Amino acid sequence: MKKCNGGLRYFAFLVPSLAGVLAFVFFPFADVVKMSFTSVGGKAFIGFGNYKTVVTNQAFRLAVGNTCRFLLVCVPLLLLFSLILANIIYFGAGKFYRNICLLPMAVPVASLVFVWKMVFHRSGLINTYLGSSVDWLNSSWSFWVLAGTFLWKNMGYYVVLWLAGLESIPGELYEAAAVDGAGFFSKFCHISLPGLRPMFSATLILSVTAALKSYRESYLLAGEYPDKSIYMVQHLFHNWFREMSVEKMSAGAVILVVMFAVMVWPFRKKGEGNPGLFHD
Amino acid sequence: MLLYLSKKIKRVEILRSYIVKMIAAVLAAAACILSCVPLLPLVVGTATGNYELAAYLEGTLWGEGGTYLLLFPSYPTLGGMVEALFKRPEFYVVFWNSVKLTGCIVLGQILFAVPAAWGFSRWHGRWSSLLFYLYTILMLLPFQVTMLSNYIVIDGMGILDTHAAVILPAVFSTFPVFIIYRSFLGIPEEVYEAFLLDSSSHWRMFCHVGVPLALPGIKSAALLGVIEYWNMVEQPLLFLKTPSRWPFSLYIPGISYDNVQYIFACSLIVLTPMLLLMFWGKDDIRKGIGNMAVKP
């Protein structure tokens, strides 16, 4: 049990950051919430009218659906592949990978845009060498292109994360298990996975954040109105902002914040006494 | 007989583990190669003249014909590099804009996030958990959701179309708080108790115990921040109207396809600081991430 004296003194350390967050996010967001209940121009109070408009909006449903689909596909794939690769590196071959695994993450998106275009264009590298004519960037394949670039970019960092987790598991456990006759798979299930649990919640949150940032690649490669399969909430809000559809943006923002609040609820840090998912 | 069988089983096992090791090595090698391969066209293209690039990249540039992988230029030329480094004031301006934006943002982030993370790691209670919950939500939200709120404040402050419009909201991002918080959690309670025996100043405890012990985590959060904001696209796109204030991430995708070698050269130049940082900061990142793995 951690001591709890001087709670208010610790709050003092928070004040500068909190002041900025309040000023730049919370207070204006209160304004946005107010806007979401009024009509265009901010005159009349129209209750949930804006919310109804947004929820029945085709584009909004498409965007939310695509974002969920992207998250549900990419995050598990990323965590799984990086876990497998981390195990491979930890238990044997490929220590060299550690030196270059962070390289893809360091490469600026703007540098690579042209290279990705070169590879995935309708008349690009893949189509020329395979003789196909699939429009990788402008058809429903673009979802997998985006997922692929996301995995390429982030794999290295998550391998490092898992490796750090694996290194914190005492080696004697594996040796003891080997003496008892455990094969690799049971060692993995009974030692590695439980030992990695403290990492899991942080890694999950980081990977969701990273997946949502892949909007940058998608914007630079496919523009503001990409193919239907990768039209995500970021595109939608960006386009609403350009049209200045303030009422839709405000209602949509509130809806999304509520959705994220629900999603993050199991991961909150709990008060003294009960460990939350952060504190496994 | 039994000896022969046991030897055979041993041989099969050795063979099986050898095969598994081979597969593992191949996978690891594939991962290494895949990580580096997309950079190859960048490097090769920087040294290739525009005529040759136009021939090889015909498909991508003008939509007809095909695109071929160029491994070594027949007529290598560093014209693009020279142009990017010496002949184009636009590139000079956008590059240093990026440096200014990234530097200010990361410095500000560290300044505000480190005390906040320490406060969160030491302060327990319902209010602390509530605030941390809100910080986590903010961290996950895509920029576009809070874009409108940011715009309202920035417009109200009258700093639209200046660098401050991009720097200020980013300085108060809650992402570094999250990472540095995990590092502070790894510090054992005994260290704090020992310090409290000698002095009761919490500020001193923060400066002399907290920060030095969590320094790898802080450095890795700073490095991650640099990588993140070096790449920044959405905020400048919306808040900076004048092209002379843009960072390079808005300039490079807009370069016309007449001058492909210049695109490659610019891309390579902006990549270099990141490579250097990665090279120097490799150990710090690993140590910082190692801190994150410690059970709190």
Side-chain angles (χ1 to χ4, degrees), chain A:
Chain A
M1 293 267 271
K2 292 210 167 148
K3 293 214 185 128
C4 194
N5 42 359
L8 217 56
R9 283 199 199 144
Y10 294 124
F11 178 71
F13 284 90
L14 276 170
V15 166
S17 163
L18 195 56
V21 170
L22 283 175
F24 280 95
V25 185
F26 284 144
F27 289 152
F29 194 71
D31 212 12
V32 167
V33 173
K34 193 182 64 146
M35 264 195 272
S36 70
F37 289 112
T38 63
S39 67
V40 188
K43 305 287 186 233
F45 179 77
I46 55 172
F48 286 100
N50 285 331
Y51 288 92
K52 232 182 281 173
T53 319
V54 166
V55 169
T56 54
N57 186 321
Q58 282 279 43
F60 182 75
R61 289 190 172 168
L62 179 69
V64 172
N66 278 337
T67 313
C68 288
R69 184 174 162 228
F70 189 73
L71 288 177
L72 286 173
V73 166
C74 289
V75 168
L77 276 181
L78 175 69
L79 293 180
L80 191 66
F81 285 169
S82 53
L83 186 58
I84 294 176
L85 200 56
N87 271 300
I88 292 177
I89 291 174
Y90 189 61
F91 288 112
K95 292 252 159 50
F96 177 71
Y97 182 68
R98 294 176 109 155
N99 295 328
I100 55 171
C101 65
L102 290 176
L103 187 63
M105 193 178 67
V107 177
V109 176
S111 293
L112 276 185
V113 165
F114 192 73
V115 176
W116 292 138
K117 276 207 181 121
M118 228 172 78
V119 173
F120 291 113
H121 195 265
R122 214 182 24 223
S123 319
L125 276 176
I126 295 186
N127 281 343
T128 311
Y129 282 110
L130 290 183
S132 54
S133 57
V134 177
D135 196 353
W136 301 99
L137 292 176
N138 292 313
S139 63
S140 55
W141 281 106
S142 54
F143 180 83
W144 296 106
V145 168
L146 200 62
T149 52
F150 167 73
L151 285 174
W152 176 82
K153 187 169 176 160
N154 289 291
M155 187 78 85
Y157 183 64
Y158 290 85
V159 168
V160 176
L161 280 176
W162 288 128
L163 277 175
L166 282 173
E167 274 163 12
S168 71
I169 302 175
E172 297 83 42
L173 288 177
Y174 290 109
E175 289 169 19
V179 165
D180 284 337
F184 181 72
F185 198 61
S186 35
K187 273 194 237 173
F188 180 71
C189 290
H190 296 287
I191 303 179
S192 303
L193 279 184
L196 287 172
R197 254 187 90 218
M199 289 293 303
F200 179 69
S201 60
T203 323
L204 188 63
I205 295 231
L206 286 175
S207 53
V208 170
T209 315
L212 290 170
K213 291 209 180 109
S214 64
Y215 168 70
R216 266 184 215 148
E217 266 103 340
S218 136
Y219 177 78
L220 289 176
L221 280 176
E224 287 171 347
Y225 289 99
D227 179 75
K228 274 174 71 171
S229 59
I230 56 169
Y231 189 75
M232 297 197 274
V233 288
Q234 295 99 316
H235 293 99
L236 183 65
F237 276 72
H238 181 93
N239 295 333
W240 276 350
F241 188 83
R242 270 189 44 241
E243 303 161 5
M244 272 290 149
S245 314
V246 173
E247 71 285 3
K248 282 196 221 142
M249 272 193 83
S250 45
V254 174
I255 294 179
L256 277 176
V257 168
V258 168
M259 284 171 81
F260 272 97
V262 166
M263 200 171 82
V264 177
W265 182 251
F267 293 93
R268 69 195 185 287
K269 164 176 104 132
K270 295 208 176 148
E272 183 117 57
N274 332 359
L277 259 178
F278 272 155
H279 293 227
D280 295 25

Side-chain angles (χ1 to χ4, degrees), chain A residues 9-10 17 24 28 103 108-109 111 123-124 128-129 152 161 199 205 212-213 215-216 219 261 264 269 278-279, chain B residues 34 63 67 69 120 123 128-129 132-133 135 139-140 144 150 153 181 202 228 231 237 267 270 275 289 293:
Chain A
R9 283 199 199 144
Y10 294 124
S17 163
F24 280 95
L103 187 63
V109 176
S111 293
S123 319
T128 311
Y129 282 110
W152 176 82
L161 280 176
M199 289 293 303
I205 295 231
L212 290 170
K213 291 209 180 109
Y215 168 70
R216 266 184 215 148
Y219 177 78
V264 177
K269 164 176 104 132
F278 272 155
H279 293 227
Chain B
L34 270 179
T67 310
L69 191 61
F120 273 127
W123 183 30
S128 163
S129 311
F132 196 74
Y133 174 59
Y135 266 53
M139 182 180 80
L140 281 176
Q144 282 69 15
N150 278 347
V153 176
Y181 163 79
H202 285 277
E228 165 73 23
N231 265 314
L237 186 65
S267 307
V270 300
L275 281 180
I289 294 178

